[in-house]
Amino acid sequence: MGALSHIRVLDLSRVLAGPWCAQNLADLGADVIKVERPGVGDDTRHWGPPFVKDAQGNETAETAYFICINRNKRSITVDISKPEGQEIIRQLAKESDVVIENYKVGDLAKYGLDYQSLKQVKSDLIYCSITGFGQNGPYAQRPGYDFIIQGMGGFMSVTGEADDFAGASPQKAGVAIADIFTGMYASTAILAAVIHRDQTGQGQYIDMALLDTQIAVMANVSSAYLCSDQVPRRWGNASPIIVPYQTFPTSDGWMIVAVGNDGQFKHFVTAGGEAHLAQNPLFINNPLRVENRKSLVPLLEVMTRRKTKTEWITLLEAAKVPCGPINNFEEVFDNEQVKARGVQIEVPHPTAGTMKLVASPMRLSETPVDVRLAPPTLGQHTAQILRERLKLDSQQIAALQEKGIV
């Protein structure tokens, strides 16, 4: 039994931040019902290629994007624009502990599905809204997209090659970090609200914004600005305060070297046959290496190009110098540590046969995470949920289907 096996979640969200939050709760055991539009579903069902292939190598309708954020959920299709659909949502909310939604500010109020409305049918309901800019402020009505939030929240101003590199420009992250971090914070907030409800009997409203989250996760970078009034700049893969602490080219690829002290620097250059650099008065300690990085780094790059990535990793690990490869995803999933941890899993799926997924990183000794359900096909559990939660019979369900309500 998962830690949250007593919790019921109604997931009205789509795309990434909300579904990521709901999947975290589902992985911990919560019974999550994902509400989707009839015939269309979550937008990410159409964000392909790539599509999952079945045992014969044929593409299914399941996209790689959708399946990464919707395991352990049941899917029901409901048209919330119609009164009958709205009533289904109200009845499901009445039987739920948590509602998650990421509609534009005010959109669900016109359907009577906002917090104030659903609170009338479930007084201790926990209701989490996820938007780009939050429920108040001059930008509240704007749609929020991760890429835009990465720019507005400062992330892109410190990501990318430094301005003195040819072709340098701001860069976004390779994954939608504002969405994912907002989903993670939302999961934490919901768990806190569950504990508060269990202690007091009170539900509450949670207002999550991508922009708030993006600024918060800038951590020491935001703090550095607030403490110094100095605008942080881009450093590429280098550190502004430690040298060498960056990527280096090898004869067949790239590696990361993270020298944290003067002893490690000495071991690094000694392993590369350039021990004299550790005695050079320009590089003898970290403050001097930071001051003279433009002289030092080219010398180190000449040194690192003499060996392969594997040779360097072997040498530096033996010398106790923090280092690592920059793996592509074939190398990631072929890594012995990744295999030992069981990061890649396979689950049965109704159309794909067997589906490959990334396991949850949460490892709990007493209430372990379990993949109970593969990412659902569109509306896969509609009839089951209507029978189980709303006590509808086959004729009533058929009538709703005929009207296009579900």
Side-chain angles (χ1 to χ4, degrees):
M1 298 290 287
L4 301 182
S5 59
H6 61 299
I7 298 297
R8 290 177 170 180
V9 177
L10 187 60
D11 181 13
L12 301 177
S13 68
R14 65 271 191 220
V15 187
L16 183 49
W20 191 265
C21 168
Q23 180 172 264
N24 285 332
L25 303 177
D27 283 348
L28 291 168
D31 179 10
V32 176
I33 294 176
K34 181 177 180 66
V35 179
E36 301 188 70
R37 291 175 293 171
V40 179
D42 190 314
D43 294 346
T44 60
R45 287 190 182 275
H46 312 282
W47 287 6
F51 296 90
V52 178
K53 294 181 179 179
D54 61 20
Q56 289 71 46
N58 301 312
E59 288 187 346
T60 68
E62 314 305 317
T63 64
Y65 204 118
F66 178 86
I67 68 170
C68 81
I69 45 178
N70 286 293
R71 64 175 173 261
N72 280 333
K73 303 178 187 179
R74 295 189 288 168
S75 170
I76 181 174
T77 53
V78 182
D79 185 349
I80 68 169
S81 69
K82 298 178 180 178
E84 299 96 326
Q86 295 159 18
E87 183 58 25
I88 288 173
I89 299 301
R90 277 190 282 273
Q91 292 304 312
L92 290 174
K94 187 177 181 179
E95 300 295 322
S96 299
D97 300 284
V98 178
V99 169
I100 302 169
E101 63 90 8
N102 62 349
Y103 283 76
K104 292 179 183 177
V105 172
D107 270 13
L108 288 180
K110 62 187 177 184
Y111 302 126
L113 302 178
D114 57 314
Y115 174 60
Q116 293 302 328
S117 299
L118 293 186
K119 186 180 178 182
Q120 302 306 309
V121 300
K122 174 76 170 176
S123 62
D124 62 349
L125 184 66
I126 296 163
Y127 191 108
C128 179
S129 293
I130 300 174
T131 57
F133 299 97
Q135 300 295 307
N136 66 298
Y139 295 175
Q141 296 297 327
R142 293 187 183 184
Y145 293 92
D146 178 274
F147 191 1
I148 295 170
I149 298 299
Q150 287 190 39
M152 292 184 68
F155 177 84
M156 291 177 63
S157 74
V158 295
T159 305
E161 291 290 3
D163 282 331
D164 51 2
F165 276 74
S169 66
Q171 294 291 316
K172 69 178 183 66
V175 69
I177 59 168
D179 274 324
I180 291 173
F181 272 116
T182 303
M184 296 302 297
Y185 270 106
S187 302
T188 303
I190 288 170
L191 293 177
V194 167
I195 293 171
H196 175 76
R197 184 209 60 181
D198 291 348
Q199 292 176 334
T200 67
Q202 295 178 330
Q204 62 182 297
Y205 182 73
I206 300 169
D207 173 10
M208 297 296 307
L210 269 67
L211 182 60
D212 298 354
T213 300
Q214 180 64 84
I215 298 169
V217 300
M218 294 311 294
N220 60 296
V221 179
S222 293
S223 182
Y225 169 71
L226 294 175
C227 290
S228 69
D229 289 329
Q230 299 295 311
V231 176
R233 51 164 287 195
R234 296 192 310 276
W235 286 92
N237 289 319
S239 165
I241 57 174
I242 309 173
V243 175
Y245 194 98
Q246 63 186 80
T247 56
F248 283 98
T250 70
S251 64
D252 64 347
W254 291 83
M255 67 172 177
I256 300 165
V257 177
V259 167
N261 56 53
D262 298 336
Q264 290 175 353
F265 177 66
K266 180 179 179 180
H267 295 321
F268 175 36
V269 294
T270 299
E274 301 290 345
H276 64 94
L277 291 175
Q279 305 304 318
N280 189 313
L282 296 177
F283 313 136
I284 200 165
N285 59 42
N286 184 68
L288 288 169
R289 292 193 294 274
V290 170
E291 181 181 346
N292 296 294
R293 75 167 72 223
K294 288 186 177 180
S295 300
L296 175 59
V297 170
L299 298 176
L300 297 177
E301 289 178 341
V302 170
M303 179 185 79
T304 60
R305 289 182 188 275
R306 295 175 188 154
K307 303 180 188 299
T308 66
K309 178 172 64 174
T310 300
E311 289 172 335
W312 268 115
I313 299 298
T314 301
L315 274 174
L316 296 183
E317 285 183 345
K320 307 298 183 184
V321 177
C323 64
I326 298 176
N327 291 334
N328 62 37
F329 277 91
E330 181 179 5
E331 294 168 321
V332 167
F333 287 105
D334 193 45
N335 181 272
E336 59 184 354
Q337 179 66 18
V338 173
K339 289 180 176 179
R341 295 286 289 176
V343 174
Q344 178 185 314
I345 59 175
E346 294 186 0
V347 298
H349 187 270
T351 62
T354 299
M355 181 176 282
K356 296 178 181 179
L357 299 174
V358 176
S360 169
M362 294 182 283
R363 308 295 175 100
L364 290 82
S365 65
E366 301 303 321
T367 54
V369 168
D370 181 35
V371 181
R372 309 176 305 282
L373 299 168
T377 57
L378 180 59
Q380 179 181 346
H381 306 96
T382 298
Q384 178 191 75
I385 292 167
L386 292 175
R387 284 194 298 267
E388 171 193 313
R389 294 288 183 87
L390 275 59
K391 309 303 180 186
L392 300 186
D393 60 30
S394 297
Q395 286 185 327
Q396 291 172 307
I397 294 171
L400 289 170
Q401 291 172 332
E402 188 174 334
K403 293 180 182 179
I405 306 298
V406 299

